[in-house]
């Protein structure tokens, strides 16, 4: 009781001369109230603070803003992914190059001695496609499971979770850069010259495949939280998808002729070609081959002097416009994927 | 000056679906489509609360009352099913210390990763790096992989990063209990520093002491609803009141059940009523520390009984005995005649601090045979308007003089 009295007295002395006393709602807390006002003033003095809304539906714009604010986190997550993968191996990053180098060597032996298809320097044609495909496949596969794998963070820390899916694409891109070193080494070894005048085509092509991969990554990572076998389904589909783009076969000789002469299931051939190019990976793969392999017409190495068309004879304009179409469609898909992600995100913490 | 609202909780509801069996694969979902029974559980129901900037607000409630869910909604980990939370400023949530640490990475790398997860920029981390390491007391181990850290080191690093994130709003979920006493004290000191900087703190705890020590206001949650709020003292009182009403099983209840079993068949004297009286009776539901209290006990004897002993106990909410005595100790043998009577136990002063206390009385023979016992339903609450904490209201005076 003595304590109460003491605080009441202090309140009496606290009254300001103009009679503006604090609300007498809880008179015993006047010193505490004064303390609070001081603290509120200090809080206000710290200046502008961004507001954040946590609700079932958060506007798309707000989510993009928050994604942008977390860009440093994106870098750290990509770095983490790469470090964790190679932390304990002596050769470190070399491993990520050794694997594709070995693949290249094996395919070189295979297509030169056992399965000669007559296309000169075929490994380079093939590897140009593999580069793109590995980037795409690694992004999508690792992103699909990323939310589930990172359940520990998702359940305990608040951050835009799409970052995790995007970081999968980011780290796949870093591996893509390592693998590019391998193809450069092989091109030097074979003294195979890329088309320097068309090298700028790589920019729209990469942009297109990255945005497309990001769209799938964001969508699948969210779905996989609810349907855990999405992961396996994606694996199987990706394997089939690989063959839908001209990676291990020449486009012009087989595909183009085949598609324009036959019709499958009564689908006319013009539609077949259209379907073939509806695969967003195809134009990107073909752009890479266009730049790195750069051989349209040549002579077969198997039957001397027999003319051979390896790639489609399209001009740069065709490649550019195809890639831009893929980019445009992918941007729409990414928008859709982010929307779906936003809807599904609300229950992540409880589903995991 | 009305302070700005730092955290505005608007009609927040959160529903969890509890399935008997949760299906995760596409195959199972298709197989069980449309006939997977579930129960809706509303962890939060239309909770609204405004936390002004600079306030420290405690959230108290029983396990499962929705405290942690609310905290997760405020920090943005869960999205509410309905309603929204608007937060002004950077939020750092200390729900689990060291969440998101990568065991393969070094302490240094984890500081950067974790800080950026919590929303701190690299430049800021560079600036605070030494502070963080010093606070965690990990100077020698900072370049070791985190997987070789002891759990104490892990937690220290987690806390050090979180409090250095420089949040405007700090959300804490009972993490202060971790670590050794020294570190707990350090954390508490850090939190007080935060308060003085005018940062907003939302704090979940079971400990009434901590609420009183740190919080300006507190809200009481029960079954997902906001039961009440007020100053720390009011809220603690509300909480105790709520606990008592909702009949949390305590030791007292168990002991009564036991008593029930060995009640003598022959009961010549029984308790018929009991009530309490203090200066505030009728005007307020609680008493203040140091007020007098009288316990009236009505009894009825079916035959004259000699050598009756009345026992009296005051227990805290957990069932621990705070005070117990009986009329035999008072050296006052009582011979009850047939008919009804009343005995008053008077306490000149009840020097107790916050809490709900139950009063139990019993009648037994001088030989120890229990005739009757009332133990559960009568209680009184004490609300302490001052800042002192603990159980007993000692009279204290502080004299300061220059020496």
């Amino acid at each position: 009781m003595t304590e109460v009295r003491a605080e009441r007295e202090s309140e009496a002395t606290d009254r300001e001369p103009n009679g503006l006393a604090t609300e007498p709602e809880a008179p015993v807390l006047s010193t505490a109230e004064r303390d609070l006002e001081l603290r509120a003033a200090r809080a206000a003095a710290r200046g502008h603070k961004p507001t954040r809304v946590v609700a079932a539906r958060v506007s798309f714009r707000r989510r993009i803003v928050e994604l942008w604010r977390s860009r440093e986190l994106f870098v750290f997550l990509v770095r983490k992914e790469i470090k964790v993968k190679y932390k304990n191996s002596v050769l470190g990053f070399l491993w990520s190059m050794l694997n594709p180098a070995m693949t290249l060597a094996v395919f070189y032996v295979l297509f030169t001695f056992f399965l000669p298809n007559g296309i000169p320097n075929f490994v380079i044609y093939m590897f140009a496609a593999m580069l793109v495909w590995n980037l795409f496949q690694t992004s999508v596969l690792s992103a699909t499971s990323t939310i589930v794998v990172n359940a520990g963070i998702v359940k305990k820390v608040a951050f835009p979770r799409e970052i995790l899916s995007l970081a999968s694409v980011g780290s796949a891109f870093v591996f893509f850069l390592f693998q590019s070193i391998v193809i450069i080494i092989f091109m030097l070894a074979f003294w195979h010259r890329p088309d320097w005048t068309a090298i700028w085509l790589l920019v729209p092509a990469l942009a297109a495949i990255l945005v497309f991969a990001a769209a799938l990554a964001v969508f699948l990572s969210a779905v996989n939280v609810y349907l855990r076998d999405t992961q396996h389904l994606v694996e199987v589909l990706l394997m089939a998808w690989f063959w839908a783009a001209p990676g291990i076969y020449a486009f012009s000789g087989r595909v183009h002729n085949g598609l324009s002469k036959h019709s499958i299931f009564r689908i006319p051939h013009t539609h077949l070609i259209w379907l073939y190019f509806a695969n967003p990976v195809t134009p990107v793969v073909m752009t890479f081959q266009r730049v790195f392999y750069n051989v349209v017409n040549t002579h077969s190495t198997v039957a001397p002097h027999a003319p051979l068309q390896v790639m489609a004879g399209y001009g740069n304009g065709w490649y550019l416009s195809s890639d831009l179409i893929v980019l445009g469609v992918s941007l729409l898909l990414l928008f859709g994927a982010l929307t779906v992600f936003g809807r599904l995100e609300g229950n992540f913490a409880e589903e995991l | 000056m009305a302070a700005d609202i730092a955290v505005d909780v608007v009609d927040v509801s959160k529903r969890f679906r509890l399935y008997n069996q949760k299906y995760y694969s596409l195959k199972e979902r298709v197989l069980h489509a449309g006939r997977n029974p579930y129960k809706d559980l509303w962890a939060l129901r239309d909770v609204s609360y405004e936390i002004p900037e600079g306030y420290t607000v405690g959230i108290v409630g029983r396990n499962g009352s929705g405290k942690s869910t609310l905290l997760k909604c405020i920090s943005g980990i869960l999205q509410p099913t309905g309603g929204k939370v608007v937060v002004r400023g950077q939020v750092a949530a200390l729900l689990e210390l060291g969440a998101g640490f990568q065991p393969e990475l070094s302490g240094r790398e984890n500081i950067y990763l974790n800080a950026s997860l919590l929303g701190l920029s690299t430049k800021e981390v560079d600036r605070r790096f030494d502070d963080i390491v010093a606070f965690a007391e990990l100077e020698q181990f900072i370049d070791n992989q985190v997987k070789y850290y002891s759990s104490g080191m892990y937690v220290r690093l987690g806390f050090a990063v979180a409090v250095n994130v420089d949040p405007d709003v700090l959300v804490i979920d009972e993490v202060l209990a971790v670590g050794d006493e020294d570190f707990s004290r350090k954390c508490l000191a850090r939190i007080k520093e935060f308060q003085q900087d005018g940062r907003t703190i939302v704090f979940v705890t079971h400990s009434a002491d901590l609420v009183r020590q740190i919080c300006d206001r507190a809200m009481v949650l029960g079954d997902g609803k906001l039961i009440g709020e007020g100053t720390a003292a009011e809220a603690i009182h509300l909480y105790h009141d709520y606990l008592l009403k909702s009949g949390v099983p305590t030791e007292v209840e168990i002991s009564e059940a036991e008593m029930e079993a060995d009640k003598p068949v022959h009961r010549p004297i029984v308790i018929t009523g009991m009530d309490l009286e203090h200066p505030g009776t009728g005007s307020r539901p609680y008493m203040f520390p140091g007020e007098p209290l009288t316990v009236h006990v009505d009894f009825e004897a079916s035959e004259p009984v000699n050598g009756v002993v009345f026992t009296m106990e005051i227990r805290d909410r957990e069932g621990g005995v705070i005070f117990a005595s009986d009329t035999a100790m008072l050296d006052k043998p009582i011979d009850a005649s047939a008919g009804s009577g009343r005995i008053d136990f008077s306490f000149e002063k009840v020097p107790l601090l916050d809490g709900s206390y139950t009063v139990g009385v019993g009648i037994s023979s001088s030989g120890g045979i229990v005739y009757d016992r009332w133990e559960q339903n009568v209680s009184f609450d004490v609300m302490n308007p001052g800042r002192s904490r603990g159980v007993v209201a000692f009279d204290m005076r502080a004299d300061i003089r220059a020496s």
Side-chain angles (χ1 to χ4, degrees):
Chain A
M1 295 315 284
T2 46
E3 198 178 331
V4 177
R5 217 176 303 124
E7 295 214 11
R8 283 206 177 115
E9 276 160 19
S10 78
E11 193 215 10
T13 52
D14 279 349
R15 279 177 198 279
E16 287 159 43
N18 56 5
L20 275 178
T22 47
E23 277 285 296
E25 154 212 3
V28 284
L29 283 177
S30 76
T31 39
E33 272 178 5
R34 216 167 39 140
D35 180 39
L36 268 176
E37 285 209 357
L38 195 70
R39 271 148 56 185
R42 284 191 188 136
R46 273 207 316 284
H48 172 75
K49 299 181 200 72
T51 56
R52 205 163 51 96
V53 178
V54 186
R57 297 269 179 276
V58 178
S59 78
F60 188 79
R61 230 189 93 215
R62 203 172 253 284
R63 291 183 46 224
I64 295 295
V65 167
E66 276 175 26
L67 266 181
W68 178 245
R69 269 193 213 139
S70 321
R71 57 197 182 278
E72 273 191 333
L73 175 60
F74 171 81
V75 175
F76 278 114
L77 284 174
V78 170
R79 206 183 283 174
K80 172 213 104 184
E81 199 108 322
I82 293 161
K83 271 195 184 152
V84 166
K85 204 160 186 175
Y86 294 107
K87 193 78 185 177
N88 289 325
S89 53
V90 185
L91 286 175
F93 299 128
L94 272 182
W95 282 117
S96 62
M97 292 195 253
L98 213 57
N99 188 358
M102 198 60 180
T103 316
L104 262 188
V106 168
F107 277 92
Y108 175 73
V109 173
L110 184 70
F111 286 109
T112 311
F113 300 108
F114 304 128
L115 277 173
N117 56 5
I119 302 172
N121 289 349
F122 183 66
V123 275
I124 290 174
Y125 174 84
M126 196 194 76
F127 202 72
M130 295 280 277
L131 264 182
V132 177
W133 182 257
N134 282 347
L135 167 62
F136 178 68
Q137 173 174 285
T138 316
S139 304
V140 173
L141 264 186
S142 65
T144 302
S145 56
T146 191
I147 303 280
V148 176
V149 168
N150 289 299
I153 325 179
V154 173
K155 280 199 287 192
K156 295 288 177 192
V157 189
F159 63 99
R161 280 73 177 259
E162 301 92 321
I163 285 276
L164 286 173
S165 326
L166 297 179
S168 296
V169 180
S171 60
F173 182 68
V174 175
F175 290 123
F176 163 86
L177 294 179
F178 294 145
Q179 298 194 350
S180 305
I181 298 173
V182 180
I183 198 174
I184 289 166
I185 292 170
F186 266 74
M187 286 170 79
L188 284 172
F190 288 107
W191 205 239
H192 189 97
R193 195 186 286 273
D195 186 352
W196 294 111
T197 62
I199 206 129
W200 54 272
L201 275 176
L202 291 182
V203 177
L206 265 179
I209 196 71
L210 284 174
V211 175
F212 182 59
L216 283 185
V218 168
F219 175 74
L220 290 171
S221 61
V223 170
N224 190 52
V225 173
Y226 295 86
L227 305 169
R228 298 286 166 89
D229 46 2
T230 306
Q231 215 163 318
H232 308 297
L233 191 69
V234 166
E235 241 169 272
V236 175
L237 289 180
L238 277 174
M239 203 190 53
W241 198 335
F242 173 67
W243 293 95
I248 301 201
Y249 51 87
F251 173 74
S252 288
R254 307 239 189 280
V255 184
H256 195 266
N257 297 343
L259 288 180
S260 33
K261 277 173 197 148
H262 304 287
S263 55
I264 304 168
F265 301 130
R266 297 192 197 163
I267 305 172
H269 59 83
T270 46
H271 290 198
L272 276 181
I273 295 235
W274 190 87
L275 257 180
Y276 191 81
F277 283 105
N279 173 8
V281 183
T282 303
V284 179
V285 162
M286 287 173 70
T287 309
F288 267 68
Q289 290 166 335
R290 166 82 185 79
V291 173
F292 284 107
Y293 187 63
N294 186 27
V295 179
V296 178
N297 293 297
T298 183
H299 297 285
S300 173
T301 52
V302 185
H305 307 300
L308 181 72
Q309 191 186 6
V310 184
M311 296 192 307
Y314 304 125
N316 285 353
W318 181 88
Y319 287 106
L320 178 64
S321 55
S322 310
D323 288 338
L324 288 183
I325 291 169
V326 173
L327 181 61
V329 171
S330 300
L331 282 172
L332 285 180
L333 287 177
L334 184 61
F335 175 80
L338 285 171
T339 310
V340 171
F341 195 99
R343 292 278 160 93
L344 296 179
E345 189 185 12
N347 289 326
F348 277 0
E350 45 199 281
E351 289 282 339
L352 287 170
Chain B
M1 181 196 89
D4 287 321
I5 301 302
V7 179
D8 194 2
V9 179
V10 188
D11 293 330
V12 165
S13 297
K14 179 72 193 175
R15 181 191 59 206
F16 289 109
R17 293 222 146 136
L18 297 179
Y19 292 92
N20 296 345
Q21 163 100 54
K22 185 101 189 139
Y23 297 113
Y24 276 119
S25 76
L26 186 62
K27 185 197 81 189
E28 285 172 330
R29 288 245 167 148
V30 170
L31 280 178
H32 299 271
R35 48 194 174 85
N36 188 12
Y38 61 81
K39 270 187 296 192
D40 273 348
L41 175 85
W42 288 91
L44 289 176
R45 206 93 206 234
D46 298 324
V47 174
S48 293
Y49 197 77
E50 283 179 355
I51 302 176
E53 271 189 335
Y55 272 66
T56 300
V57 173
I59 304 177
V60 287
R62 281 154 59 184
N63 288 333
S65 59
K67 299 180 304 245
S68 295
T69 308
L70 181 59
L71 221 52
K72 282 184 179 174
C73 285
I74 291 174
S75 52
I77 292 164
L78 282 176
Q79 292 173 353
T81 315
K84 63 175 179 176
V85 183
V86 182
V87 184
R88 270 187 87 217
Q90 179 95 46
V91 185
L94 274 70
L95 300 190
E96 188 182 299
L97 293 177
F101 277 172
Q102 293 292 327
E104 292 291 326
L105 299 184
S106 70
R108 179 186 303 273
E109 288 160 335
N110 266 307
I111 287 177
Y112 279 91
L113 179 62
N114 211 248
S116 75
L117 259 176
L118 295 170
L120 199 62
S121 72
T122 317
K123 256 189 238 153
E124 286 291 294
V125 186
D126 287 338
R127 210 161 57 74
R128 290 154 196 266
F129 188 82
D130 293 335
D131 284 349
I132 295 174
V133 176
F135 191 87
E137 301 165 19
L138 285 172
E139 289 89 345
Q140 305 165 47
F141 308 101
I142 201 63
D143 286 310
N144 291 21
Q145 281 179 333
V146 165
K147 67 177 170 187
Y148 298 121
Y149 280 20
S150 71
S151 56
M153 290 156 85
Y154 201 86
V155 161
R156 288 203 312 259
L157 189 62
F159 191 87
V161 174
V163 294
N164 276 291
V165 164
D166 197 21
D168 299 301
V169 179
L170 184 67
V171 174
I172 310 174
D173 189 2
E174 297 200 83
V175 284
L176 291 176
V178 299
D180 52 42
E181 217 170 295
D182 217 27
F183 190 69
S184 293
R185 224 185 336 256
K186 212 159 120 182
C187 295
L188 210 61
R190 190 56 179 242
I191 286 173
K192 293 214 163 134
E193 222 174 275
F194 260 69
Q195 275 182 323
Q196 287 314 309
D197 284 353
R199 292 172 217 266
T200 312
I201 301 175
V202 189
F203 185 66
V204 158
T205 184
H206 285 296
S207 154
D209 265 3
L210 265 182
V211 171
R212 176 177 299 283
Q213 205 177 342
I214 304 179
C215 300
D216 304 307
R217 296 190 82 79
M219 54 200 290
V220 184
L221 286 181
D223 292 327
K225 293 186 202 82
L226 184 63
I227 286 174
E229 67 93 30
T231 60
E234 286 165 359
I236 292 167
H237 171 252
L238 258 169
Y239 177 50
H240 285 157
D241 206 33
Y242 169 71
L243 280 180
L244 209 73
K245 267 187 216 143
S246 59
V248 181
T250 58
E251 261 179 68
V252 180
E253 201 174 53
I254 296 162
S255 70
E256 201 197 25
E258 282 167 358
M259 291 308 302
E260 207 73 41
D262 54 23
K263 252 181 196 168
V265 185
H266 178 60
R267 301 203 299 171
I269 183 164
V270 292
I271 298 169
T272 53
M274 192 175 151
D275 75 286
L276 306 178
E277 195 186 317
H278 56 78
T281 305
S283 61
R284 51 181 148 89
Y286 48 81
M287 53 191 291
F288 290 120
E291 284 188 326
L293 176 75
T294 308
V295 181
H296 306 292
V297 181
D298 296 312
F299 58 89
E300 198 169 324
S302 51
E303 58 189 66
V305 192
N306 287 340
V308 176
V309 177
F310 289 87
T311 60
M312 142 67 66
E313 269 176 11
I314 298 177
R315 291 173 182 259
D316 61 18
R317 202 171 51 73
E318 280 79 36
V321 177
I322 288 179
F323 170 83
S325 189
D326 57 37
T327 48
M329 282 180 193
L330 297 172
D331 225 9
K332 237 185 180 181
I334 298 167
D335 298 329
S337 50
S340 57
R342 166 179 263 208
I343 179 168
D344 294 340
F345 294 96
S346 301
F347 299 91
E348 233 170 88
K349 244 179 146 188
V350 178
L352 289 173
L353 291 177
D354 283 282
S356 292
Y357 302 92
T358 50
V359 178
V361 292
I363 307 179
S364 55
S365 73
S366 50
I369 300 167
V370 178
Y371 293 131
D372 197 6
R373 196 157 174 150
W374 275 36
E375 256 195 344
Q376 202 201 348
N377 302 322
V378 179
S379 68
F380 64 94
D381 294 336
V382 180
M383 196 195 80
N384 162 25
R387 293 225 32 114
S388 42
R389 296 175 287 115
V391 181
V392 184
F394 289 104
D395 272 331
M396 187 185 76
R397 207 182 57 199
D399 296 317
I400 308 172
R401 65 183 79 79
S403 59

